[in-house]
Amino acid sequence: MAQKTKQKFYVEEGESIDECLNRMKKEGYMPVRRMEQPILKEIKKNGKTDVEVAKQQIIFEGKLIKD
């Protein structure tokens, strides 16, 4: 099975950025872009529903390393 030339890698819960980058390298990818995406949660106050950012999800886009 051929590997994709680009793939997204999410920094998992309890995983450091370095651990994610090492996982990418182990799978044969090098980081070419870092993105952050908000994880939202709903809060109900006085009958109203508000949305706030719970945390930021870090995502790396990896490019396949050619040998």
Side-chain angles (χ1 to χ4, degrees):
M1 183 171 135
Q3 286 184 306
K4 299 180 204 174
T5 57
K6 285 187 179 179
Q7 186 170 324
K8 289 184 180 178
F9 291 85
Y10 293 81
V11 177
E12 303 295 334
E13 191 74 36
E15 181 181 42
S16 72
I17 292 173
D18 280 340
E19 290 170 332
C20 181
L21 293 173
N22 287 333
R23 181 166 45 93
M24 287 177 70
K25 187 175 181 179
K26 185 177 178 183
E27 293 183 31
Y29 291 87
M30 64 180 232
V32 292
R33 183 174 170 201
R34 175 189 164 143
M35 301 168 280
E36 290 192 26
Q37 163 180 317
I39 305 295
L40 306 174
K41 68 177 178 179
E42 290 185 355
I43 307 248
K44 295 185 181 186
K45 293 181 186 175
N46 303 327
K48 290 185 175 182
T49 302
D50 289 332
V51 178
E52 70 176 36
V53 176
K55 64 179 181 177
Q56 289 288 104
Q57 173 75 54
I58 300 172
I59 306 160
F60 288 99
E61 186 175 281
K63 182 178 172 187
L64 189 62
I65 300 170
K66 307 238 186 222
D67 291 329

